[in-house]
Amino acid sequence: KIQVSFTIAKNISAPIGERTLYLRVSDPNGKLLTDSESNTFRFEGKDIGYSSLKTFEYGGEELQMTLFYNTLEGGLSEGKYNLDIFADGNNIGSTTLVLK
């Protein structure tokens, strides 16, 4: 299981309401880890895949979030994984994870 925790900053000018976060996890070979090829969302005019998603209610205040990706049978191999988080059509965060 991969767990990604982060903070969404306070933004009183952002519209309140339901939002969806998308997590993309790419393996050391650049392959997207996903449970289904139909797991997609729109980004820059294209449908791209996601590894997991979370829907939440945003009220403009600072919010602690955690997303999970449950690995498929066989687990994860050693190497560098790229993680990207998207919301409202934007990439709001990126990081890497190195498994040894």
Side-chain angles (χ1 to χ4, degrees):
K1 182 181 283 194
I2 294 175
Q3 175 181 323
V4 181
S5 297
F6 56 96
T7 302
I8 296 178
K10 180 177 180 175
N11 184 344
I12 59 171
S13 64
I16 61 172
E18 188 175 90
R19 300 283 202 287
T20 302
L21 295 170
Y22 298 93
L23 172 64
R24 287 176 51 93
V25 179
S26 299
D27 72 11
N29 297 317
K31 181 182 177 202
L32 177 68
L33 302 180
T34 185
D35 296 336
S36 171
E37 295 298 319
S38 66
N39 288 351
T40 63
F41 66 100
R42 297 292 287 174
F43 178 66
E44 296 184 346
K46 298 179 186 175
D47 289 331
I48 64 171
Y50 64 84
S51 303
S52 69
L53 65 79
K54 182 173 189 171
T55 301
F56 67 102
E57 192 70 28
Y58 184 64
E61 296 298 319
E62 182 175 284
L63 190 59
Q64 301 295 318
M65 298 296 300
T66 300
L67 296 172
F68 295 94
Y69 173 69
N70 294 315
T71 61
L72 300 174
E73 193 171 320
L76 300 170
S77 59
E78 290 184 358
K80 181 178 171 182
Y81 290 77
N82 293 311
L83 291 80
D84 292 286
I85 300 168
F86 295 81
D88 298 332
N90 297 295
N91 183 327
I92 64 168
S94 298
T95 192
T96 57
L97 168 69
V98 178
L99 297 180
K100 297 182 179 185

